[in-house]
Amino acid sequence: MSWGFAIWAATLALAAAVLSVTRASAVHALLLLLASLLALGAAFFAMSANFAGVIQLLIYAGAVVAVFVFVVMTVDASETAMAHERKLLRSAWRWPALFVGLSVIPILFGIGGGAMDAGAPAAADTRELGLLLFGDWGVATELVALMLIAGMIGVRHLGRSLGPRLRERGRE
Amino acid sequence: MTPLNILLVLSAGLFFAGLFGVAARRTILMQLISLEIMLSGPALGFVAVGAYHGSVEGTGMFLMVLGLAAAEVALGLAIYLHMRRATGGDSDLAHRLRG
């Protein structure tokens, strides 16, 4: 595939991301996040990183967004809550925008300046990837696994202490 | 500007879009969505550089970022559900930590 399609898809992802962080409604923000992640997956496929593209679709656009959907169901989406959210955003966007603008300028010049000649994107071999992850990078893979276990235990702990209190509230 | 330059600029743009969201929004759920966008910027950068050099290390680093994002989302949403009754999901009201 080509760099051109990858750039187009990544531009779409950036546009969806900018729209996502400026929405008042959490559902709209979540749908735009999903669009951004799907466009990123398309960019990965265009760069011949097929394994990364499949994982992006399965884990990011599938599992992570599904978890978000369960939480978004609990959010207050009434008109008064939306108006409050819009008011908060309108009063608070200037300083972050200035900060981001000032820090993005040197980075754009730094990345955009150097000349790198490009051939066609090269395909990454999945077999090689497995050998890398469980050979040379074995310790890093173990660390990621440990981090995921720590996350799982933390979520289990937080979720368990929520249960009895919710039941008490139901009895009241 | 070569294709890799443009892709790296776009990945920096994704990162800063997320950073703006984390700084400008007060709702914890929106800040978590912005954090996801922040993490997907470097992921694009890693995969683009890996494809440019024809090596698998880019995809390998993408998988590390993915693991980090998955753990962060699970813990962040659990903590959000926990804090929501105390703060109504507003991170400004959650400035006092109690175990």
Side-chain angles (χ1 to χ4, degrees), chain B residues 45-68:
Chain B
F46 279 128
V47 173
V49 173
Y52 178 77
H53 289 294
S55 67
V56 292
E57 273 92 347
T59 308
M61 279 310 291
F62 165 71
L63 288 180
M64 306 280 155
V65 172
L66 188 85
L68 176 71

Side-chain angles (χ1 to χ4, degrees), chain A residues 3 6-7 10-11 13-14 17-18 20-26 29-30 33 36-37 40 43-44 47 49 51-52 55-56 59-60 64 67-68 71-72 74-75 84-85 88-89 92-93 96-97 99-100 103-104 107-108 111-112 114-125 128-129 132-133 137 140-141 144 147-148 150-151 154-155 158 161-162 165 169, chain B residues 1-41 43-85 90 92:
Chain A
W3 290 110
I7 290 169
T11 311
L14 177 60
V18 170
S20 172
V21 297
T22 50
R23 290 307 96 177
S25 157
L30 187 63
L33 172 73
S36 173
L37 295 177
L40 264 192
F44 292 169
M47 289 187 282
F51 186 71
I55 293 292
Q56 172 85 10
I59 311 279
Y60 251 126
V64 167
V67 173
F68 265 114
V71 175
V72 162
T74 68
V75 170
H84 178 64
E85 185 72 37
L88 276 181
L89 186 60
W93 68 274
F99 169 68
V100 164
S103 44
V104 87
I107 286 182
L108 286 187
I111 297 171
M116 296 175 255
D117 56 312
D125 188 10
E128 259 180 62
L129 178 67
L132 176 77
L133 282 180
W137 288 12
T141 310
V144 169
M147 187 176 62
L148 284 172
V155 171
L158 287 169
S161 54
L162 198 64
R165 270 186 244 163
R169 202 197 248 179
Chain B
M1 293 279 270
T2 60
L4 183 62
N5 288 136
I6 299 171
L7 278 170
L8 287 178
V9 165
L10 286 171
S11 93
L14 269 174
F15 178 83
F16 280 106
L19 185 64
F20 171 77
V22 173
R25 306 306 295 259
R26 294 276 74 86
T27 320
I28 297 173
L29 187 65
M30 294 301 303
Q31 287 178 324
L32 283 172
I33 290 178
S34 307
L35 266 178
E36 278 305 295
I37 292 169
M38 264 178 99
L39 281 174
S40 69
L44 174 67
F46 279 128
V47 173
V49 173
Y52 178 77
H53 289 294
S55 67
V56 292
E57 273 92 347
T59 308
M61 279 310 291
F62 165 71
L63 288 180
M64 306 280 155
V65 172
L66 188 85
L68 176 71
E72 170 252 315
V73 159
L75 271 176
L77 287 176
I79 293 172
Y80 163 72
L81 285 177
H82 215 75
M83 277 169 41
R84 202 164 57 90
R85 274 168 303 131
D90 190 331
D92 268 356

